[in-house]
């Protein structure tokens, strides 16, 4: 059983890289289940639409996770209630449309749980993520409620992500960070058998400032008035992880970071 997780898809570059490559990559790597974070997939670089979600599903994506930009394209608030395969962070303040956790059918009667969480440090205000995680684990168990569990932790800082990884160790198949749009070089299986990488990186144009136009981004740091912020539109790189899972335990056998094309190269 092999899971692919791809980090934040940004704008047209990210979407095009998914459309162009994903089906072929699923075949090449014999991937059974694909999760992507789609919260920056709109052409504006923030939010996502129903049409984008459908395009992703059509090219092999099984589940779409999100984060702080989930509601930036308002139409998604209606669509998320109809689409079981689209998640928002579980620890958003309630009431909120949609849900942050789902259980999905795999082949051979296996089930996979996908949990979307958002960090508290330097992020929009949300419920305490460690308390949310603890409550979740009190009522949801690996190999009882699902055969595999993937956690997308959408957060800004490495220490918070690292801590969540260890908190879920032995209770999840994979904990992977999103949101910073930069892949970290720390993919590993933790002591208890959970695969972990602090950030999956983005799917988008790396000749940018985390996917967005370079000049405007620099101007914003100088606090100059800048024209509307928009994503760079060069060739996109795909970034994420591939995890081999043990069907007996639900834990990870191994994890490899995955990078395809354009400005970043796997060595
Ligand atoms: Fe984000």
């Amino acid at each position: 059983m092999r899971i692919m997780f791809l980090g934040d898809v940004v704008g047209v570059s990210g979407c095009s890289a998914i459309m162009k490559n994903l089906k072929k990559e699923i075949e090449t790597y014999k991937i059974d289940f694909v999760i992507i974070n789609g919260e920056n997939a709109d052409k504006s670089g923030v939010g996502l639409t129903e049409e984008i979600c459908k395009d992703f599903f059509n090219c092999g994506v099984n589940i779409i996770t999100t984060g702080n930009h989930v509601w930036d394209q308002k139409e998604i608030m209606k669509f998320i209630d109809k689409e079981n395969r689209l998640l928002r962070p579980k620890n958003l303040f309630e009431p909120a449309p949609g849900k942050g956790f789902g259980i999905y059918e795999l082949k051979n009667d296996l089930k996979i749980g996908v949990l979307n969480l958002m960090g508290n440090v330097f992020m929009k205000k949300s419920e305490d993520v460690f308390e949310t995680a603890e409550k979740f684990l009190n009522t949801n168990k690996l190999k009882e409620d699902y055969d595999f569990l993937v956690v997308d932790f959408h957060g800004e800082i490495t220490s918070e992500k690292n801590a969540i990884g260890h908190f879920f160790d032995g209770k999840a198949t994979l904990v992977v960070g999103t949101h910073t749009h930069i892949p970290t070089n720390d993919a590993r299986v933790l002591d208890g058998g959970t695969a972990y990488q602090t950030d999956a990186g983005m799917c988008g144009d790396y000749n940018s400032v985390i996917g967005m136009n370079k000049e405007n981004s620099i101007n914003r740091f100088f606090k100059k008035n800048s024209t509307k912020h928009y994503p760079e539109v060069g060739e996109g790189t795909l970034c994420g992880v591939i995890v081999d899972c043990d069907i007996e335990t639900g834990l990870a056998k191994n994890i490899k970071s995955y990078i395809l094309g354009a400005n970043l190269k796997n060595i």
Side-chain angles (χ1 to χ4, degrees), residues 6-262:
L6 297 177
D8 317 34
V9 181
V10 179
V12 171
S13 295
C15 290
S16 302
I18 296 275
M19 307 303 166
K20 184 174 147 198
N21 298 300
L22 188 59
K23 275 191 177 162
K24 176 170 56 82
E25 292 296 275
I26 289 171
E27 258 186 57
T28 304
Y29 288 95
K30 299 185 173 29
I31 305 292
D32 297 296
F33 201 78
V34 179
I35 304 166
I36 62 170
N37 186 300
E39 73 143 10
N40 301 106
D42 185 70
K43 60 183 183 307
S44 64
V46 291
L48 76 174
T49 62
E50 176 174 347
E51 192 185 350
I52 291 170
C53 292
K54 287 179 173 165
D55 284 345
F56 286 162
F57 294 136
N58 284 337
C59 63
V61 170
N62 297 100
I63 303 299
I64 303 168
T65 55
T66 57
N68 52 307
H69 288 298
V70 60
W71 309 134
D72 286 8
Q73 304 301 320
K74 295 292 170 235
E75 63 163 88
I76 211 70
M77 296 181 103
K78 275 191 185 155
F79 181 61
I80 200 169
D81 276 327
K82 292 188 286 184
E83 180 49 73
N84 188 40
R85 297 170 293 175
L86 172 63
L87 298 175
R88 47 84 171 164
K90 184 168 174 57
N91 56 319
L92 294 187
F93 292 120
E94 299 287 354
K99 60 191 177 110
F101 172 65
I103 297 177
Y104 308 95
E105 303 286 332
L106 298 163
K107 60 187 177 188
N108 302 329
D109 281 336
L110 295 168
K111 290 190 182 103
I112 182 168
V114 181
L115 173 64
N116 196 176
L117 294 172
M118 186 160 76
N120 296 126
V121 185
F122 302 139
M123 299 293 285
K124 278 181 184 161
K125 279 215 176 320
S126 56
E127 299 281 359
D128 186 297
V129 70
F130 282 86
E131 284 175 12
T132 303
E134 188 171 47
K135 260 190 235 163
F136 174 86
L137 287 174
N138 285 341
T139 50
N140 295 279
K141 309 273 183 215
L142 191 62
K143 284 289 150 195
E144 289 177 25
D145 299 288
Y146 35 72
D147 297 282
F148 309 100
L149 175 66
V150 174
V151 181
D152 172 353
F153 186 87
H154 198 75
E156 188 69 53
I157 67 162
T158 50
S159 56
E160 195 184 27
K161 289 162 143 173
N162 233 178
I164 275 285
H166 289 297
F167 188 70
F168 275 92
D169 189 17
K171 295 165 183 145
T173 316
L174 166 68
V175 175
V176 61
T178 55
H179 179 69
T180 71
H181 296 195
I182 305 292
T184 55
N185 192 17
D186 62 339
R188 63 197 187 276
V189 177
L190 303 176
D191 286 350
T194 296
Y196 174 81
Q197 183 168 311
T198 300
D199 204 295
M202 85 173 163
C203 297
D205 180 3
Y206 278 82
N207 187 14
S208 66
V209 175
I210 62 167
M212 304 305 277
N213 172 266
K214 289 182 285 187
E215 202 180 359
N216 282 342
S217 300
I218 293 166
N219 281 338
R220 283 159 72 108
F221 281 108
F222 274 108
K223 300 178 182 62
K224 288 181 193 164
N225 276 341
S226 63
T227 50
K228 201 169 176 293
H229 214 32
Y230 56 89
E232 292 285 2
V233 292
E235 192 185 341
T237 297
L238 294 186
C239 263
V241 296
I242 295 176
V243 179
D244 282 324
C245 317
D246 185 329
I247 291 177
E248 296 305 313
T249 62
L251 295 168
K253 290 183 190 166
N254 59 61
I255 175 170
K256 286 195 178 74
S257 66
Y258 166 86
I259 295 174
L260 180 76

